[in-house]
Amino acid sequence: MKPDPITIEILRNAFIMAAEEMNAALIRSAYTPVIYESKDCAVALIDSNHRVLGQSSGVPLFLGNLEACTLATEEMYGRSVWGQGDIWIMNDAYLTGTHMHDVTVFAPIFYQGDLAGFAASRAHWLDIGAKDPGVPMDSTEIFQEGVRLPPTLVVRNGEPVEDIWSIIESNVRFPRSAIGDMTAQFAVASIGEHRLGALFDRYGRDTVEAAAEEIFRQSEQLDREAIRAIPDGEYTAEGFLDSDGVGHEPVRIKVRITVEGERLLFDLTGTDGPGRGPINCGAVQTLSACRLAFKYLFNSHQPVNGGTFRPLEVKTKPGSILDARSPAACQFYFTPLGLMIDLICKALSPVLAGTVPAAHYGDGMIFQFTGINPRTEELFLDNEPHVGGWGASRGQDGEDGMIWTLSGNFHDMPIEVFESKFPARITDYGYRQDSAGPGRWRGGNGIIREYQMTTDTEMSLWFERSGNPAWGLLGGKDGAPPDVVINPGTPDETRRLKTNRMPLRKGDTVRCFTGGGGGYGDPLDRDPEAVQADLADGHISADYARRHHGIDYESLNIS
């Protein structure tokens, strides 16, 4: 019997809050700043049929992906593989779709002796034993990117599988952090089991599972209604990445979207690949990114669960950069996905003009440096994404300095934490003036973040979308592309966007510029008061106002 609507809503929110509690425990328990400060993680509570009951806020790129890990394990070993008190670990890039630093830990949940669901988490580990400390920027095969774990038991019947722990500890550069983060992920399993069991105790298992089925049905219905509102037809867009990280040739991403009634197909078979460098992505994660794009456009306010995305189909070409096969390198699997999401929005912009924004700055913009910390005489490693400008939309400017689409709740590293842990100083951090794409509604500004080394180090960079920066819509202009300048204003000044283990000396400065978001609408139609406010706040210069908005600074009476 279907539960009453009030019970359904109580359980809907209970599933979500259980996942949020699980995520909070992971963040509080983690050993490394990329998890406890930057929050590069996500968790999910999953039913016994591998359908999401509740997923936490966090990295939205993992939408509909954590349950793929439990399902893949069951498909490999059979339903009988699940045991009470067991915990599994995996990071195989072709099974999870991500790079191998994103480690997934999951455990079956039993209730009164029967399998009732799963608790799963994914978190970015600082080091996974790749050829270089942290993240290699120039890998050409998966074997250079670290220890690759298929679904592997790490706890059996409540007891550590010590040989697996030893393999992990022996193959990473920061074993204390790796084991600490792994055991923090164990806490997710414990809380998930407790919370799901408490719901079964209070409402009865039959009621909870019937409510979940109704929640799934409602989510599917909402998605089908949203698709029916789009005119049937084919919609296409394509764009190019700067390179695959090893060569210098642009890499094409092409999307073809077909709408037929309640059916929505994302056809990605026109995409290039495989890439010689580390831009390849497993099909599982490509599916997740397509789901993320879908969620940006349709029913964005509705939580994700096992009924979401059922009308969405995704087609990839085996061996392309969006359907990687061994031994393709996958370290920067997310780079083509960011562009792909922007292209999906662009393709549908003619029929979703009031919903779709202009493009955003579009990549993680990774700065990494490593060496021996003179304070501790030990190896250190810092790996940081950077925020940038988002695209404008009808009636709204783009957000300034916000993390890119794939990372969601990810936070940039606070200066105080950075300088307390690493041998460098941040000497400048602020919005990048004039980086916003001009429009009736302007794009968001990127940022400037400047690092000064206080010891000799090695730096690696991965900055993308310089050749295909954030485009505008309906007359809006492009945002500024990214840039990185080493030792600006000196005879040694040089520029890089991608590099691996570039030596830096004590006193060297690295100035990072992230891109701005695209503008929306004709810049000449922008409200003069909005231009004046941007000038007063330092978001744009007087020259920008003259060139793009036709407004003379002297006439604006700026104090």
Side-chain angles (χ1 to χ4, degrees):
M1 184 175 68
K2 186 173 75 173
D4 63 87
I6 293 175
T7 300
I8 290 170
E9 288 307 307
I10 290 171
L11 288 169
R12 186 198 309 272
N13 287 280
F15 295 148
I16 296 168
M17 293 314 299
E20 294 290 358
E21 181 183 357
M22 293 153 66
N23 198 46
L26 170 56
I27 290 167
R28 286 197 302 265
S29 306
Y31 273 52
T32 48
V34 72
I35 302 174
Y36 69 70
E37 286 289 350
S38 298
K39 300 178 175 57
D40 192 351
C41 57
V43 312
L45 187 64
I46 302 165
D47 77 1
S48 59
N49 292 313
H50 310 282
R51 299 173 300 181
V52 172
L53 296 170
Q55 182 157 336
S56 70
S57 57
V59 178
L61 182 55
F62 302 148
L63 280 178
N65 184 277
L66 295 175
E67 70 271 26
C69 298
T70 61
L71 179 59
T73 303
E74 186 170 303
E75 289 175 343
M76 290 175 71
Y77 300 115
R79 184 78 165 177
S80 62
V81 75
W82 305 117
Q84 193 157 6
D86 291 353
I87 301 178
W88 294 74
I89 188 171
M90 67 184 293
N91 74 339
D92 188 316
Y94 307 119
L95 294 176
T96 67
T98 71
H99 55 200
M100 293 191 296
H101 287 72
D102 289 336
V103 178
T104 305
V105 173
F106 51 95
I109 296 172
F110 283 79
Y111 182 76
Q112 297 179 349
D114 294 326
L115 181 65
F118 303 88
S121 66
R122 180 172 294 158
H124 182 102
W125 287 15
L126 189 62
D127 184 88
I128 201 67
K131 71 181 184 71
D132 303 313
V135 173
M137 310 287 174
D138 62 351
S139 51
T140 57
E141 58 180 9
I142 195 74
F143 308 109
Q144 299 171 343
E145 296 182 340
V147 178
R148 180 174 159 203
L149 296 170
T152 304
L153 264 176
V154 71
V155 173
R156 179 183 287 112
N157 196 25
E159 296 296 326
V161 182
E162 294 184 0
D163 52 350
I164 300 301
W165 289 51
S166 296
I167 288 171
I168 294 170
E169 288 181 285
S170 300
N171 283 279
V172 300
R173 294 174 177 84
F174 302 96
R176 181 174 180 271
S177 296
I179 296 301
D181 289 339
M182 182 176 71
T183 53
Q185 290 180 263
F186 291 175
V188 169
S190 177
I191 293 171
E193 182 175 32
H194 175 73
R195 289 303 178 201
L196 188 58
L199 292 175
F200 287 163
D201 288 342
R202 181 169 182 179
Y203 296 96
R205 180 168 179 173
D206 289 345
T207 298
V208 172
E209 292 182 342
E213 293 293 342
E214 175 60 16
I215 291 166
F216 298 162
R217 186 198 66 78
Q218 292 172 4
S219 296
E220 179 180 0
Q221 179 181 335
L222 288 170
D223 284 351
R224 292 189 183 280
E225 290 173 355
I227 295 170
R228 279 203 306 269
I230 308 171
D232 285 357
E234 284 196 351
Y235 307 92
T236 62
E238 69 176 36
F240 293 85
L241 301 174
D242 295 345
S243 71
D244 65 8
V246 176
H248 301 286
E249 294 299 314
V251 180
R252 181 175 63 175
I253 308 291
K254 184 174 183 179
V255 301
R256 180 181 298 276
I257 300 171
T258 302
V259 181
E260 292 179 350
E262 297 179 348
R263 174 176 173 262
L264 183 64
L265 170 65
F266 291 168
D267 185 340
L268 309 171
T269 55
T271 295
D272 287 348
R276 193 159 62 94
I279 61 165
N280 303 285
C281 178
V284 173
Q285 196 60 65
T286 298
L287 172 62
S288 295
C290 289
R291 289 172 168 177
L292 179 54
F294 181 94
K295 202 63 179 168
Y296 279 140
L297 297 173
F298 310 111
N299 299 318
S300 301
H301 61 290
Q302 294 291 333
V304 172
N305 56 58
T308 317
F309 312 121
R310 285 180 178 174
L312 174 63
E313 301 173 42
V314 176
K315 186 177 181 181
T316 57
K317 181 175 69 176
S320 71
I321 63 171
L322 297 177
D323 191 348
R325 305 298 166 96
S326 183
C330 297
Q331 190 65 63
F332 288 92
Y333 75 96
F334 51 74
T335 289
L337 301 182
L339 178 57
M340 182 194 75
I341 289 173
D342 272 347
L343 290 169
I344 289 170
C345 293
K346 183 178 184 180
L348 290 173
S349 62
V351 290
L352 296 174
T355 303
V356 173
H360 80 314
Y361 74 111
D363 200 60
M365 310 296 172
I366 305 297
F367 168 87
Q368 175 179 283
F369 77 124
T370 186
I372 301 300
N373 191 332
R375 302 177 207 161
T376 63
E377 297 300 323
E378 294 179 345
L379 181 70
F380 76 89
L381 174 72
D382 175 55
N383 179 286
E384 293 186 60
H386 289 82
V387 297
W390 278 50
S393 55
R394 180 178 291 174
Q396 184 173 324
D397 291 343
E399 293 291 336
D400 302 302
M402 192 164 78
I403 199 67
W404 69 313
T405 50
L406 276 63
S407 292
N409 203 37
F410 198 100
H411 294 186
D412 57 343
M413 183 81 71
I415 293 173
E416 296 82 0
V417 172
F418 175 89
E419 293 187 346
S420 70
K421 289 189 169 293
F422 306 115
R425 297 175 58 236
I426 294 178
T427 52
D428 189 9
Y429 189 32
Y431 292 134
R432 180 185 177 189
Q433 189 181 70
D434 292 352
S435 59
R440 181 177 180 182
W441 296 281
R442 67 166 176 83
N445 273 312
I447 58 99
I448 299 171
R449 189 164 167 110
E450 184 175 87
Y451 302 85
Q452 186 177 68
M453 304 300 113
T454 59
T455 191
D456 293 351
T457 66
E458 292 180 334
M459 174 189 69
S460 299
L461 296 170
W462 187 277
F463 277 59
E464 250 289 344
R465 298 281 290 269
S466 66
N468 200 172
W471 54 79
L473 285 179
L474 298 180
K477 306 300 183 183
D478 294 354
D483 195 13
V484 181
V485 186
I486 298 99
N487 292 321
T490 73
D492 297 328
E493 177 178 305
T494 186
R495 281 177 156 80
R496 296 280 194 281
L497 288 173
K498 294 174 182 172
T499 191
N500 196 64
R501 302 188 72 169
M502 176 181 179
L504 295 177
R505 306 289 293 178
K506 179 179 179 180
D508 283 349
T509 296
V510 180
R511 193 166 177 83
C512 300
F513 301 83
T514 64
Y520 192 103
D522 190 336
L524 295 177
D525 293 335
R526 186 163 177 78
D527 184 345
E529 290 187 4
V531 178
Q532 183 169 354
D534 283 342
L535 277 164
D537 291 338
H539 288 302
I540 66 173
S541 66
D543 180 63
Y544 181 106
R546 278 193 298 269
R547 285 187 294 113
H548 298 297
H549 302 298
I551 299 175
D552 186 14
Y553 175 87
E554 284 74 19
S555 70
L556 291 178
N557 195 26
I558 301 294
S559 58

